[in-house]
Amino acid sequence: MKSKVIYCILFLSISAHLSSQNLLDKLANEDIETSSYVMSTFKGTRISIGHSVETRKKNTLEISFMSRYWNVPQESSNSFIADRMCTRVGLDYGISDRLTVGFGSGNPNGIFDSYLKYRLVQQSTTKKGSPIGITLLQAGTYRTRSIKGIERRTNFGEKLAFTTQVLIARKFSRNFSFQISPTFIHRTSSNFSIDDHNHFAVGFSPRYKLNNHVALVSEYYYVINPLKSLDTYGAFALGVNWEVSDLLLQFKMTNNQIFTEDAFITQTAQNFNFRDGNFYFGFHATYHIQL
């Protein structure tokens, strides 16, 4: 009788131990599945000329410097680097891991810009999670100077423009990522009544990683309803991103000289070629620090 009781106690103890172990294993696996997200779909918060789905980590400050250089054959100044140049300096801050805010100023265009970017969905490595990443972008610009032949702006309300984007990206492999960017742009003024104040566009942005520090990137924006008063072309860029510790260097060839989405998407007046000042060389340096 005693031996039967002992066997029964041992059997119940082993069963309880196995059940608890299986429960712990399930909880551990569930925790792994819910916390497994794809990292670094793109290395920076910008692919080349436009935004990526990436946001800055909480309390991370990003300092950026952008520039464009180009030559004008009919107005050649025999300068050392280029006949003309424009620049933008920006600050971006991670309010949380999902929300980033940014501010910038560009010269000689006289454009002040700001944006909010929120990571709505992050791509997961598990079948239960999302196969894509989705980030929402809302940007606004204030232009202190008009673009000749495109805009006539007299008061504050007429100098504003707004860009809304849904950034949809997927990292297909360790080396290849692709992003689609449906875009809506509203401009408060235009030079001609035949031009729409609202524009719709779609961006296409591939990235191919060559090694741990270097990647090829490209961007193209197709505008569904372009300006009617001026011949414009789709904004295009082809470049190389080089990561050096906390510093990201971006080198690009592009057909536009302005840094804000409302301008380079709808108002690119040059086709992409190396003649007649239609080719621009771009340099972008980004450094981030954890506060």
Side-chain angles (χ1 to χ4, degrees):
M1 186 65 180
K2 291 182 178 180
S3 61
K4 291 182 179 180
V5 172
I6 293 173
Y7 289 145
C8 184
I9 293 173
L10 289 175
F11 175 76
L12 292 174
S13 299
I14 293 172
S15 298
H17 175 74
L18 292 175
S19 298
S20 63
Q21 192 65 39
N22 290 335
L23 179 60
L24 289 174
D25 291 339
K26 290 181 180 180
L27 291 174
N29 291 334
E30 183 179 348
D31 182 64
I32 291 174
E33 289 183 358
T34 56
S35 61
S36 296
Y37 295 107
V38 171
M39 306 301 292
S40 301
T41 303
F42 297 94
K43 197 60 184 179
T45 56
R46 292 178 184 265
I47 301 172
S48 182
I49 56 177
H51 282 272
S52 73
V53 293
E54 302 295 336
T55 55
R56 276 297 168 208
K57 294 295 183 181
K58 183 178 180 179
N59 296 330
T60 298
L61 178 66
E62 178 179 287
I63 304 169
S64 62
F65 171 78
M66 304 178 187
S67 59
R68 297 280 198 278
Y69 306 90
W70 68 99
N71 289 316
V72 183
Q74 63 272 24
E75 300 178 8
S76 179
S77 60
N78 297 318
S79 59
F80 177 69
I81 298 178
D83 294 333
R84 297 183 184 179
M85 69 172 292
C86 58
T87 61
R88 176 189 181 272
V89 177
L91 292 175
D92 308 79
Y93 180 73
I95 298 175
S96 69
D97 289 349
R98 290 178 176 267
L99 180 63
T100 298
V101 60
F103 303 92
S105 174
N107 282 308
N109 310 103
I111 301 177
F112 294 91
D113 66 273
S114 63
Y115 75 87
L116 282 173
K117 185 157 59 167
Y118 180 74
R119 186 190 290 268
L120 184 65
V121 177
Q122 190 166 356
Q123 182 181 342
S124 175
T125 59
T126 65
K127 294 181 180 179
K128 294 182 180 180
S130 173
I132 59 174
I134 302 175
T135 297
L136 307 179
L137 174 75
Q138 181 60 58
T141 61
Y142 171 73
R143 190 187 302 276
T144 60
R145 303 183 184 94
S146 298
I147 296 180
K148 185 178 180 180
I150 298 178
E151 301 159 322
R152 182 187 295 116
R153 302 171 181 237
T154 57
N155 57 51
F156 179 83
E158 294 179 335
K159 298 179 181 181
L160 301 174
F162 304 93
T163 301
T164 302
Q165 287 187 307
V166 181
L167 309 174
I168 307 169
R170 175 174 172 81
K171 190 173 185 178
F172 289 90
S173 67
R174 181 183 178 186
N175 295 329
F176 180 69
S177 302
F178 189 83
Q179 177 175 294
I180 298 177
S181 308
T183 303
F184 170 74
I185 295 172
H186 173 72
R187 294 180 296 109
T188 55
S189 68
S190 62
N191 201 36
F192 301 96
S193 59
I194 59 174
D195 289 330
D196 293 329
H197 287 233
N198 300 319
H199 297 272
F200 299 90
V202 182
F204 305 92
S205 311
R207 168 185 179 260
Y208 186 79
K209 189 176 179 181
L210 298 178
N211 57 44
N212 291 334
H213 301 283
V214 180
L216 293 176
V217 295
S218 183
E219 288 185 77
Y220 173 74
Y221 285 87
Y222 173 74
V223 182
I224 298 172
N225 57 329
L227 295 174
K228 297 177 182 179
S229 61
L230 180 73
D231 290 332
T232 59
Y233 302 87
F236 177 78
L238 177 65
V240 176
N241 291 353
W242 180 28
E243 179 191 2
V244 185
S245 185
D246 293 329
L247 180 66
L248 178 64
L249 303 177
Q250 297 177 306
F251 306 90
K252 67 204 72 174
M253 298 180 294
T254 180
N255 63 337
N256 62 81
Q257 56 179 282
I258 306 177
F259 307 100
T260 56
E261 284 74 17
D262 64 282
F264 73 72
I265 292 177
T266 63
Q267 300 171 358
T268 296
Q270 293 84 21
N271 200 358
F272 187 83
N273 62 59
F274 296 89
R275 303 187 304 273
D276 302 327
N278 291 348
F279 164 72
Y280 302 90
F281 172 75
F283 172 72
H284 182 184
T286 302
Y287 181 76
H288 60 272
I289 55 178
Q290 189 71 30
L291 298 181

